[in-house]
Amino acid sequence: MVPSLQISFYNASDLKPEVSWIPNKHYSGIYGLMKLTLTKALPSDLSKVIVLDTDITFATDIAELWAIFRKFTGEQVLGLVENQSDWYLGNLWKNHKPWPALGRGFNTGVILLLLDKLRQIGWEEMWRLTAERELMNMLSTSLADQDIFNALIKSSPSLVYELPCYWNVQLSDHTRSEQCYSELADLKVIHWNSPHKLRVKNKHVELFRTLYLTFLEYDGSLLRRELIGCPSDKEQEEALEELDEEDVCYDFRRERLASHRVHLSFLPQKTLAEDPTDVTLVAQLSMDRLQMLELICRHWEGPVSLALYLSDAEAQQFLRYAQASEVLQSRTNIGYHVVYKEGQLYPVNLLRNVALRNAQTPYVFLSDIDFLPMYGLYDSLRKSIVQENMAKTPKALIVPAFETLRYRLTFPKSKAELLSMLDMGALYTFRYHVWEKGHAPTNYAKWRIATTSYRVDWAPNFEPYVVVRRDCPEYDERFLGFGWNKVSHIMELDAKGYELVVLPNAFIIHMPHAPSFDISKFRSSENYRLCVQTLKEEFHQDLSRRYGSAALKYIAAERNR
């Protein structure tokens, strides 16, 4: 929501036939040739554009670069910076034969294009004829579009306006870029045009890397709020004005109205093939639970959809962690969706909904990041989905939850092993010591001897971990931090007519961790607890409006507590 910014996308697949006939040895593949097609790809009423590679860092206002269009004269239609390596001079190694270029040639990482004039002079035919002619000798391009641009400029030098070199300081191998600047203030655009990117060898690379990472880790919420002045939602502003600061839930209601920045698919994720029984593990986490990711991957081979609550700096730390992890790098079926931090309360149900909405499979296993699934749970759940006829009947399959208080645990390989550990005191039913009613309706005594699934009734405060269809009701986002965030969801599933069915041979185990900030606040703050109670009552009223008499039992159960 940046003022005056419009974003348009163009389907590269439609443009592939324009350049697919050109052999290209550059690592960018066919997409490295796409700049040649811009007069055709972009709208005909667009008269001029700045074209940028994605591996550049701006160190100044881009408006300064735009102003250079006014300096074009005569036949000039291209603005480019001279290439800062000896590549086109042909002296880098023995028998090195580059494409023809004017002197050192030009780098196409930053280009000013006068589209209207390019169309007038027949740009498409010009570059095609140039490419066809040179390919008779060169056989393929080495630097993709840059080779064809340079061959064309060699034969028509009047087309180019040479930009000052600080508009494209190139950090490639064999670069002479340090001749472009004497101090940091001279820099305008830094171009990481080596395949090594941030690991390129350059005597000033630490300085450039720091500049780049400083920007990446900048607080985007501050940028949005203070520097750019993004327009706020009028309805949101009005809702904020209506809030009563004396309300015990004022902080909850204010943060419920926050507009979070969300970066879906923060890391590449493979699109999953359609499978009518497939199931995605859905969870949310913050930076302090990051160590659970690799463990979960070792226990669950199926798809995963994760919402991560991170600051901008933490997002970069997570990126480095994920790229260094062999376990995470080997997985292409995990969706990482970053929700950037805003406010003081943890928006747990917002995060769950982000992960839920972005699951790609028909079914979802609604779990928490602190739980390790039993080995083989993914395949077991897929079989249960078929056996329980979930495509035809609304059911929530309950996966019984257990916990260990030990940081080192020999994980049980079967239900029999789990029961043995339960008897020896190495494991417990989940929250048995502090909140038994949260999982007691699972009926663990029956589960011990069960060989088939069995139905259980809803009971107050029941909050099991369940497998449901992806189109299930979403979590209620009024519940932030600790308290009633899962209970309310199970209550709505029950109101909507879902059968609660316990699986006899499935289990998850909660691993120990330090208490979260929100649970500590719940325990220490009477106002916090009063607010959760208020939100519960409001949720009951909303449930009654939506589901009528089916929801009356929840209000009665609350009164009888």
XYZ file of all heavy atoms in Angstrom, residues 373-463:
755
model
N 5.069 -35.190 15.470
C 4.160 -36.273 15.083
C 4.849 -37.621 15.245
O 6.074 -37.727 15.142
C 3.882 -35.994 13.602
C 4.410 -34.613 13.336
C 5.488 -34.369 14.334
N 4.072 -38.654 15.503
C 4.656 -39.996 15.531
C 5.216 -40.309 14.143
O 4.760 -39.763 13.131
C 3.599 -41.026 15.916
C 2.575 -41.312 14.822
S 1.446 -42.618 15.299
C 0.830 -43.126 13.678
N 6.203 -41.174 14.079
C 6.746 -41.583 12.788
C 5.633 -42.256 11.985
O 4.890 -43.094 12.501
C 7.917 -42.551 12.975
C 9.135 -41.914 13.606
C 9.567 -42.295 14.876
C 9.847 -40.924 12.934
C 10.678 -41.708 15.463
C 10.962 -40.326 13.505
C 11.377 -40.725 14.774
O 12.478 -40.136 15.344
N 5.518 -41.886 10.726
C 4.500 -42.490 9.864
C 3.125 -41.876 9.982
O 2.159 -42.373 9.387
N 2.989 -40.769 10.728
C 1.659 -40.176 10.924
C 1.064 -39.688 9.604
O -0.137 -39.804 9.376
C 1.728 -39.026 11.931
C 0.374 -38.372 12.255
C -0.581 -39.379 12.891
C 0.534 -37.160 13.172
N 1.902 -39.146 8.727
C 1.396 -38.627 7.443
C 0.644 -39.707 6.669
O -0.512 -39.514 6.267
C 2.570 -38.085 6.626
C 2.223 -37.674 5.217
C 1.261 -36.706 4.958
C 2.880 -38.262 4.123
C 0.951 -36.328 3.661
C 2.584 -37.886 2.825
C 1.618 -36.919 2.588
O 1.318 -36.552 1.294
N 1.266 -40.863 6.483
C 0.606 -41.948 5.747
C -0.597 -42.484 6.520
O -1.628 -42.826 5.927
C 1.594 -43.089 5.482
C 2.632 -42.712 4.427
O 2.308 -41.876 3.562
O 3.751 -43.255 4.480
N -0.470 -42.550 7.842
C -1.571 -43.035 8.668
C -2.806 -42.145 8.537
O -3.933 -42.643 8.417
C -1.120 -43.109 10.134
O -2.190 -43.463 10.968
N -2.603 -40.830 8.522
C -3.735 -39.906 8.409
C -4.400 -40.017 7.042
O -5.636 -39.933 6.936
C -3.269 -38.465 8.653
C -2.837 -38.121 10.081
C -2.464 -36.643 10.188
C -3.926 -38.472 11.096
N -3.617 -40.217 6.007
C -4.194 -40.343 4.667
C -5.105 -41.570 4.584
O -6.170 -41.530 3.962
C -3.079 -40.420 3.622
C -2.274 -39.133 3.539
C -1.242 -39.191 2.445
N -1.887 -39.224 1.138
C -1.226 -39.257 -0.010
N 0.088 -39.265 -0.016
N -1.860 -39.288 -1.160
N -4.689 -42.643 5.226
C -5.531 -43.854 5.256
C -6.804 -43.597 6.056
O -7.904 -44.016 5.666
C -4.758 -45.023 5.860
C -3.636 -45.541 4.959
C -2.800 -46.598 5.669
C -1.610 -47.006 4.806
N -0.667 -47.894 5.543
N -6.651 -42.886 7.170
C -7.821 -42.591 8.017
C -8.821 -41.702 7.293
O -10.041 -41.846 7.466
C -7.376 -41.926 9.319
O -6.550 -42.792 10.070
N -8.339 -40.787 6.498
C -9.218 -39.891 5.731
C -10.129 -40.705 4.820
O -11.325 -40.409 4.686
C -8.365 -38.885 4.923
C -7.808 -37.811 5.876
C -9.163 -38.248 3.793
C -6.691 -36.980 5.290
N -9.579 -41.742 4.210
C -10.377 -42.621 3.340
C -11.326 -43.473 4.184
O -12.527 -43.568 3.896
C -9.451 -43.524 2.484
C -10.282 -44.508 1.662
C -8.566 -42.676 1.578
N -10.784 -44.100 5.237
C -11.591 -44.999 6.074
C -12.775 -44.274 6.714
O -13.857 -44.845 6.866
C -10.714 -45.622 7.164
C -9.699 -46.623 6.626
C -8.628 -46.979 7.650
O -8.587 -46.424 8.751
N -7.743 -47.897 7.291
N -12.583 -43.014 7.092
C -13.634 -42.248 7.768
C -14.570 -41.532 6.794
O -15.455 -40.789 7.219
C -13.011 -41.231 8.733
C -12.213 -41.837 9.864
C -13.077 -42.633 10.839
O -14.291 -42.334 10.937
O -12.552 -43.558 11.480
N -14.329 -41.745 5.487
C -15.198 -41.151 4.454
C -15.339 -39.638 4.635
O -16.444 -39.087 4.587
C -16.575 -41.831 4.484
C -17.394 -41.520 3.237
O -16.840 -41.188 2.184
N -18.711 -41.604 3.351
N -14.233 -38.971 4.866
C -14.267 -37.537 5.176
C -14.701 -36.671 4.006
O -15.098 -35.521 4.188
C -12.908 -37.087 5.701
C -12.643 -37.583 7.106
S -11.151 -36.909 7.810
C -11.580 -35.185 8.027
N -14.620 -37.219 2.792
C -15.070 -36.450 1.628
C -16.581 -36.236 1.674
O -17.102 -35.263 1.120
C -14.674 -37.172 0.345
N -17.281 -37.134 2.373
C -18.757 -37.057 2.385
C -19.336 -36.588 3.718
O -20.467 -36.121 3.768
C -19.322 -38.456 2.076
C -18.901 -39.018 0.722
C -19.732 -38.443 -0.407
C -19.320 -39.000 -1.757
N -19.539 -40.444 -1.886
N -18.591 -36.766 4.812
C -19.141 -36.428 6.133
C -18.223 -35.437 6.857
O -17.002 -35.606 6.841
C -19.295 -37.684 7.015
O -18.027 -38.358 7.078
C -20.334 -38.622 6.444
N -18.808 -34.395 7.475
C -17.976 -33.424 8.206
C -17.459 -34.025 9.511
O -18.227 -34.253 10.445
C -18.933 -32.253 8.470
C -20.300 -32.853 8.431
C -20.241 -34.042 7.517
N -16.175 -34.303 9.549
C -15.567 -34.896 10.734
C -14.304 -34.151 11.105
O -13.629 -33.569 10.244
C -15.214 -36.373 10.483
C -16.400 -37.309 10.377
C -15.947 -38.747 10.204
C -17.139 -39.698 10.133
N -16.707 -41.103 9.927
N -13.978 -34.197 12.389
C -12.684 -33.726 12.885
C -12.010 -34.926 13.526
O -12.489 -35.439 14.548
C -12.875 -32.601 13.901
N -10.937 -35.403 12.887
C -10.227 -36.574 13.400
C -9.232 -36.124 14.462
O -8.326 -35.329 14.169
C -9.501 -37.296 12.263
C -10.345 -37.716 11.051
C -9.501 -38.519 10.068
C -11.575 -38.515 11.488
N -9.400 -36.612 15.674
C -8.567 -36.183 16.798
C -7.304 -37.046 16.869
O -7.388 -38.274 16.907
C -9.344 -36.271 18.120
C -10.519 -35.283 18.090
C -8.439 -36.012 19.324
C -11.492 -35.451 19.243
N -6.147 -36.378 16.902
C -4.869 -37.058 17.105
C -4.495 -36.863 18.574
O -4.173 -35.741 18.989
C -3.772 -36.485 16.189
C -2.440 -37.203 16.432
C -4.182 -36.609 14.720
N -4.571 -37.902 19.403
C -4.308 -37.736 20.848
C -2.934 -37.125 21.121
O -1.946 -37.468 20.467
C -4.398 -39.173 21.373
C -5.343 -39.856 20.431
C -5.012 -39.274 19.084
N -2.903 -36.224 22.087
C -1.687 -35.462 22.395
C -1.103 -35.904 23.730
O -1.816 -36.101 24.718
C -2.015 -33.970 22.438
N 0.212 -36.048 23.733
C 0.963 -36.417 24.935
C 2.081 -35.404 25.131
O 2.303 -34.536 24.273
C 1.520 -37.837 24.804
C 0.440 -38.880 24.660
C -0.113 -39.158 23.417
C -0.041 -39.555 25.776
C -1.125 -40.102 23.281
C -1.048 -40.495 25.645
C -1.590 -40.769 24.401
N 2.782 -35.497 26.257
C 3.895 -34.579 26.465
C 5.000 -35.252 27.263
O 4.774 -36.224 27.984
C 3.422 -33.311 27.183
C 3.029 -33.493 28.629
C 2.646 -32.175 29.293
O 3.184 -31.144 28.879
O 1.810 -32.203 30.214
N 6.191 -34.721 27.087
C 7.328 -35.132 27.909
C 7.887 -33.895 28.598
O 7.822 -32.791 28.042
C 8.429 -35.805 27.066
O 9.528 -36.135 27.925
C 8.946 -34.875 25.959
N 8.403 -34.073 29.789
C 9.066 -32.974 30.500
C 10.574 -33.051 30.309
O 11.316 -32.249 30.860
C 8.712 -33.024 31.986
C 7.203 -33.008 32.313
C 6.976 -33.055 33.815
C 6.538 -31.784 31.693
N 11.016 -34.039 29.527
C 12.447 -34.258 29.311
C 12.877 -33.639 27.982
O 12.221 -33.845 26.956
C 12.758 -35.747 29.295
C 12.356 -36.469 30.580
C 12.573 -37.962 30.462
N 12.153 -38.659 31.679
C 12.220 -39.965 31.840
N 12.702 -40.729 30.856
N 11.817 -40.517 32.969
N 13.987 -32.926 28.016
C 14.491 -32.325 26.786
C 15.109 -33.378 25.863
O 15.176 -33.202 24.660
C 15.508 -31.218 27.104
C 14.843 -29.947 27.551
C 14.535 -29.724 28.897
C 14.477 -28.969 26.630
C 13.899 -28.564 29.305
C 13.841 -27.803 27.024
C 13.557 -27.603 28.374
O 12.921 -26.453 28.758
N 15.579 -34.476 26.451
C 16.093 -35.587 25.639
C 15.116 -36.744 25.768
O 14.857 -37.222 26.864
C 17.488 -36.012 26.098
C 18.530 -34.938 25.835
C 19.915 -35.436 26.159
N 20.909 -34.447 25.805
C 22.089 -34.730 25.289
N 22.416 -35.989 25.063
N 22.954 -33.787 24.998
N 14.601 -37.176 24.639
C 13.574 -38.219 24.658
C 13.869 -39.252 23.578
O 14.143 -38.891 22.429
C 12.194 -37.598 24.397
C 11.020 -38.582 24.271
C 10.661 -39.133 25.650
C 9.815 -37.909 23.622
N 13.830 -40.510 23.946
C 13.856 -41.580 22.949
C 12.436 -41.706 22.426
O 11.545 -42.186 23.134
C 14.324 -42.912 23.564
O 15.621 -42.728 24.130
C 14.380 -43.998 22.507
N 12.208 -41.230 21.214
C 10.840 -41.114 20.702
C 10.246 -42.496 20.453
O 10.871 -43.344 19.824
C 10.837 -40.304 19.399
C 9.501 -39.699 19.091
C 9.173 -38.441 19.550
C 8.561 -40.405 18.338
C 7.928 -37.880 19.266
C 7.319 -39.859 18.054
C 7.002 -38.595 18.525
N 9.036 -42.760 20.953
C 8.416 -44.077 20.771
C 8.131 -44.375 19.302
O 7.667 -43.507 18.563
C 7.124 -43.977 21.576
C 6.842 -42.509 21.686
C 8.165 -41.832 21.710
N 8.416 -45.600 18.896
C 8.224 -45.982 17.501
C 6.847 -46.588 17.256
O 6.498 -46.898 16.110
C 9.315 -46.975 17.084
C 10.717 -46.386 17.091
C 11.745 -47.407 16.604
C 13.142 -46.788 16.520
N 13.642 -46.358 17.826
N 6.069 -46.783 18.312
C 4.751 -47.407 18.162
C 3.859 -47.005 19.326
O 4.329 -46.452 20.331
C 4.899 -48.928 18.119
O 5.388 -49.388 19.380
N 2.585 -47.335 19.206
C 1.647 -47.077 20.290
C 2.036 -47.896 21.519
O 1.955 -47.405 22.651
C 0.232 -47.420 19.838
C -0.827 -47.233 20.915
C -2.228 -47.513 20.387
C -3.288 -47.375 21.480
N -4.661 -47.575 20.957
N 2.487 -49.134 21.301
C 2.876 -49.994 22.427
C 4.022 -49.373 23.215
O 4.015 -49.364 24.455
C 3.269 -51.380 21.908
N 5.003 -48.835 22.498
C 6.140 -48.181 23.166
C 5.674 -46.950 23.926
O 6.129 -46.673 25.032
C 7.219 -47.800 22.153
C 8.152 -48.925 21.766
C 9.353 -48.432 20.978
O 9.754 -47.249 21.144
O 9.898 -49.220 20.188
N 4.761 -46.192 23.318
C 4.248 -44.988 23.982
C 3.540 -45.357 25.281
O 3.737 -44.709 26.318
C 3.304 -44.234 23.040
C 2.674 -42.971 23.645
C 2.743 -41.812 22.672
C 1.226 -43.202 24.061
N 2.709 -46.398 25.246
C 1.981 -46.804 26.450
C 2.945 -47.253 27.547
O 2.729 -46.967 28.735
C 0.995 -47.925 26.113
C -0.194 -47.522 25.232
C -1.032 -48.736 24.875
C -1.050 -46.461 25.917
N 4.012 -47.923 27.148
C 5.018 -48.356 28.121
C 5.683 -47.148 28.774
O 5.870 -47.101 29.999
C 6.061 -49.227 27.421
O 7.105 -49.561 28.307
N 6.029 -46.130 27.966
C 6.654 -44.916 28.491
C 5.679 -44.140 29.368
O 6.066 -43.496 30.343
C 7.161 -44.048 27.334
C 8.290 -44.700 26.536
S 8.731 -43.783 25.043
C 9.592 -42.371 25.735
N 4.396 -44.208 29.018
C 3.359 -43.550 29.812
C 3.290 -44.194 31.208
O 3.216 -43.505 32.230
C 2.021 -43.704 29.088
C 0.894 -42.707 29.360
C 1.320 -41.290 29.011
C -0.344 -43.091 28.546
N 3.355 -45.510 31.229
C 3.297 -46.236 32.506
C 4.530 -45.991 33.371
O 4.455 -46.010 34.607
C 3.142 -47.742 32.241
C 1.788 -48.073 31.622
O 0.855 -47.269 31.808
O 1.677 -49.114 30.941
N 5.668 -45.754 32.701
C 6.919 -45.529 33.442
C 7.103 -44.075 33.861
O 8.054 -43.748 34.562
C 8.110 -45.960 32.586
C 8.191 -47.467 32.365
S 9.743 -47.954 31.566
C 9.589 -47.142 29.987
N 6.206 -43.183 33.419
C 6.316 -41.778 33.796
C 7.240 -40.968 32.916
O 7.584 -39.833 33.262
N 7.650 -41.539 31.775
C 8.484 -40.767 30.841
C 7.624 -39.859 29.966
O 8.102 -38.876 29.407
C 9.304 -41.716 29.956
N 6.328 -40.207 29.855
C 5.367 -39.412 29.100
C 4.110 -39.221 29.937
O 3.827 -40.007 30.849
C 4.989 -40.107 27.784
C 6.052 -40.218 26.691
C 5.515 -41.050 25.531
C 6.493 -38.848 26.201
N 3.339 -38.181 29.597
C 2.059 -37.914 30.238
C 1.037 -37.557 29.178
O 1.399 -37.137 28.078
C 2.177 -36.728 31.225
C 3.230 -36.911 32.283
C 4.536 -36.450 32.078
C 2.917 -37.530 33.496
C 5.512 -36.614 33.046
C 3.889 -37.691 34.478
C 5.183 -37.234 34.242
O 6.143 -37.403 35.198
N -0.235 -37.701 29.506
C -1.252 -37.140 28.617
C -1.095 -35.619 28.669
O -0.756 -35.051 29.705
C -2.665 -37.559 29.046
O -2.861 -37.164 30.407
C -2.835 -39.067 28.908
N -1.353 -34.963 27.546
C -1.013 -33.548 27.420
C -1.749 -32.666 28.430
O -2.953 -32.762 28.589
C -1.302 -33.070 25.998
C -0.850 -31.660 25.718
C 0.458 -31.275 25.968
C -1.733 -30.723 25.218
C 0.880 -29.976 25.719
C -1.330 -29.419 24.962
C -0.008 -29.050 25.219
N -0.975 -31.841 29.088
C -1.447 -30.862 30.076
C -2.155 -31.517 31.278
O -2.971 -30.875 31.955
C -2.383 -29.828 29.411
C -1.658 -28.860 28.488
C -0.787 -27.922 29.285
N -0.079 -26.959 28.462
C 1.202 -27.065 28.098
N 1.913 -28.113 28.492
N 1.786 -26.141 27.375
N -1.847 -32.783 31.526
C -2.456 -33.503 32.647
C -2.238 -32.760 33.964
O -3.120 -32.720 34.834
C -1.856 -34.915 32.721
C -2.205 -35.669 33.980
C -3.470 -36.238 34.142
C -1.268 -35.814 35.017
C -3.796 -36.932 35.301
C -1.593 -36.504 36.176
C -2.859 -37.063 36.304
O -3.183 -37.748 37.452
N -1.061 -32.126 34.115
C -0.724 -31.490 35.396
C -1.392 -30.122 35.572
O -1.635 -29.701 36.703
C 0.798 -31.290 35.505
C 1.573 -32.573 35.450
N 1.989 -33.144 34.261
C 1.997 -33.391 36.435
C 2.644 -34.266 34.534
N 2.662 -34.435 35.840
N -1.640 -29.421 34.480
C -2.078 -28.019 34.622
C -3.443 -27.718 34.012
O -4.086 -26.754 34.399
C -1.031 -27.062 33.995
C 0.256 -27.069 34.787
C -0.762 -27.406 32.536
N -3.898 -28.495 33.033
C -5.153 -28.158 32.354
C -5.769 -29.441 31.789
O -5.903 -29.637 30.595
C -4.879 -27.145 31.249
C -6.083 -26.589 30.537
C -6.405 -26.733 29.224
C -7.126 -25.792 31.105
N -7.573 -26.082 28.930
C -8.043 -25.478 30.075
C -7.384 -25.309 32.393
C -9.182 -24.717 30.285
C -8.516 -24.534 32.604
C -9.402 -24.252 31.565
N -6.147 -30.330 32.699
C -6.608 -31.669 32.301
C -7.824 -31.606 31.386
O -7.951 -32.379 30.440
C -6.919 -32.495 33.557
C -7.262 -33.937 33.240
C -7.521 -34.750 34.498
O -7.486 -34.167 35.603
O -7.770 -35.960 34.351
N -8.742 -30.644 31.662
C -9.997 -30.604 30.904
C -9.796 -30.244 29.430
O -10.669 -30.508 28.609
C -10.993 -29.641 31.558
C -10.467 -28.246 31.845
C -11.537 -27.365 32.480
C -11.680 -27.639 33.962
N -12.511 -26.604 34.633
N -8.604 -29.684 29.084
C -8.347 -29.348 27.678
C -8.335 -30.566 26.771
O -8.654 -30.472 25.584
N -7.961 -31.741 27.322
C -7.847 -32.943 26.481
C -8.524 -34.167 27.085
O -8.566 -35.222 26.438
C -6.369 -33.244 26.200
C -5.739 -32.209 25.317
N -5.630 -32.345 23.957
C -5.218 -30.987 25.616
C -5.060 -31.267 23.449
N -4.810 -30.426 24.431
N -9.097 -34.034 28.284
C -9.748 -35.180 28.936
C -10.836 -35.832 28.083
O -10.968 -37.065 28.078
C -10.319 -34.743 30.290
N -11.647 -35.050 27.305
C -12.705 -35.691 26.501
C -12.174 -36.661 25.445
O -12.953 -37.463 24.915
C -13.416 -34.499 25.843
C -13.163 -33.344 26.772
C -11.768 -33.561 27.284
N -10.872 -36.620 25.150
C -10.295 -37.602 24.231
C -10.502 -39.013 24.766
O -10.574 -39.974 24.002
C -8.781 -37.319 24.042
O -8.625 -36.009 23.496
C -8.124 -38.322 23.115
N -10.617 -39.125 26.084
C -10.825 -40.405 26.770
C -9.598 -41.314 26.571
O -9.650 -42.323 25.849
C -12.101 -41.098 26.278
C -12.514 -42.254 27.192
O -11.706 -42.747 27.995
N -13.765 -42.683 27.077
N -8.523 -40.947 27.247
C -7.266 -41.685 27.095
C -7.362 -43.129 27.576
O -6.683 -44.015 27.043
C -6.144 -40.956 27.840
C -5.698 -39.679 27.173
C -6.152 -38.435 27.616
C -4.820 -39.712 26.091
C -5.745 -37.256 27.003
C -4.402 -38.534 25.477
C -4.868 -37.314 25.934
O -4.459 -36.153 25.320
N -8.213 -43.382 28.562
C -8.377 -44.755 29.047
C -8.923 -45.645 27.933
O -8.480 -46.792 27.746
C -9.307 -44.774 30.257
N -9.884 -45.126 27.198
C -10.447 -45.882 26.079
C -9.428 -46.018 24.951
O -9.330 -47.066 24.305
C -11.721 -45.195 25.574
C -12.433 -45.973 24.484
C -13.792 -45.360 24.170
C -14.531 -46.196 23.125
N -15.895 -45.678 22.870
N -8.658 -44.949 24.749
C -7.670 -44.962 23.652
C -6.616 -46.045 23.866
O -6.145 -46.651 22.899
C -7.002 -43.583 23.557
C -6.059 -43.469 22.387
C -6.381 -43.192 21.096
C -4.634 -43.616 22.425
N -5.249 -43.157 20.312
C -4.161 -43.411 21.105
C -3.703 -43.893 23.433
C -2.808 -43.485 20.772
C -2.358 -43.966 23.096
C -1.920 -43.763 21.782
N -6.267 -46.297 25.112
C -5.227 -47.292 25.410
C -5.554 -48.650 24.797
O -4.663 -49.361 24.321
C -5.058 -47.472 26.920
C -4.452 -46.294 27.653
C -4.298 -46.623 29.143
N -3.260 -47.631 29.345
C -2.047 -47.390 29.820
N -1.705 -46.151 30.142
N -1.178 -48.363 29.974
N -6.817 -49.015 24.806
C -7.205 -50.352 24.353
C -7.924 -50.332 22.996
O -8.260 -51.384 22.457
C -8.105 -51.053 25.395
C -9.346 -50.202 25.678
C -7.322 -51.319 26.678
C -10.370 -50.891 26.575
N -8.152 -49.117 22.455
C -8.924 -49.003 21.210
C -8.136 -49.540 20.013
O -6.929 -49.314 19.891
C -9.317 -47.551 20.970
N -8.837 -50.246 19.151
C -8.240 -50.692 17.884
C -8.978 -50.080 16.695
O -8.538 -50.197 15.554
C -8.297 -52.231 17.776
O -9.649 -52.657 17.948
C -7.395 -52.882 18.817
N -10.107 -49.441 16.959
C -10.855 -48.731 15.919
C -11.157 -47.316 16.425
O -11.117 -47.052 17.632
C -12.184 -49.443 15.593
O -12.965 -49.535 16.788
C -11.924 -50.836 15.025
N -11.474 -46.437 15.513
C -11.785 -45.055 15.895
C -13.081 -45.018 16.706
O -13.929 -45.906 16.581
C -11.917 -44.187 14.644
O -12.979 -44.641 13.827
N -13.237 -43.995 17.522
C -14.456 -43.863 18.327
C -14.838 -42.399 18.442
O -13.994 -41.499 18.428
C -14.284 -44.483 19.711
C -13.132 -43.932 20.536
C -13.322 -42.871 21.425
C -11.851 -44.479 20.430
C -12.280 -42.372 22.180
C -10.789 -43.977 21.176
C -11.006 -42.929 22.054
O -9.962 -42.430 22.788
N -16.143 -42.193 18.555
C -16.665 -40.829 18.616
C -16.680 -40.336 20.058
O -16.943 -41.108 20.985
C -18.079 -40.803 18.035
C -18.671 -39.406 17.967
C -19.984 -39.393 17.225
N -20.595 -38.066 17.269
C -21.692 -37.719 16.635
N -22.325 -38.632 15.892
N -22.174 -36.508 16.729
N -16.387 -39.047 20.241
C -16.492 -38.432 21.571
C -17.358 -37.185 21.456
O -17.539 -36.617 20.369
C -15.102 -38.062 22.151
C -14.276 -39.305 22.421
C -14.352 -37.105 21.232
N -17.905 -36.760 22.586
C -18.738 -35.555 22.616
C -17.898 -34.344 22.979
O -16.912 -34.447 23.709
C -19.868 -35.725 23.641
C -20.858 -36.787 23.217
O -21.071 -36.946 21.990
O -21.400 -37.477 24.104
N -18.357 -33.210 22.471
C -17.736 -31.945 22.872
C -17.940 -31.741 24.373
O -18.950 -32.171 24.951
C -18.361 -30.782 22.094
C -17.894 -29.446 22.594
C -16.794 -28.766 22.212
C -18.514 -28.652 23.622
N -16.671 -27.604 22.917
C -17.710 -27.506 23.805
C -19.648 -28.807 24.418
C -18.029 -26.518 24.724
C -19.964 -27.824 25.344
C -19.158 -26.686 25.483
N -16.971 -31.105 25.018
C -17.097 -30.727 26.427
C -16.440 -29.357 26.594
O -15.583 -28.970 25.787
C -16.421 -31.769 27.321
N -16.819 -28.591 27.613
C -16.220 -27.262 27.805
C -14.690 -27.337 27.869
O -14.117 -28.241 28.464
C -16.816 -26.798 29.146
C -18.102 -27.536 29.254
C -17.860 -28.874 28.624
N -14.057 -26.378 27.191
C -12.598 -26.201 27.188
C -11.831 -27.286 26.417
O -10.607 -27.378 26.514
C -12.049 -26.105 28.618
C -12.631 -24.922 29.359
O -12.501 -23.780 28.918
N -13.302 -25.193 30.472
N -12.545 -28.091 25.645
C -11.903 -29.135 24.841
C -11.112 -28.473 23.704
O -11.637 -27.624 22.994
C -12.982 -30.057 24.274
C -12.467 -31.349 23.697
C -11.253 -31.902 24.095
C -13.231 -32.048 22.757
C -10.806 -33.112 23.569
C -12.802 -33.260 22.234
C -11.578 -33.783 22.640
N -9.844 -28.834 23.561
C -9.020 -28.224 22.515
C -8.046 -29.246 21.902
O -6.827 -29.080 21.958
C -8.255 -27.014 23.053
C -7.483 -27.241 24.345
C -6.712 -26.014 24.789
O -6.808 -24.966 24.120
O -6.000 -26.113 25.806
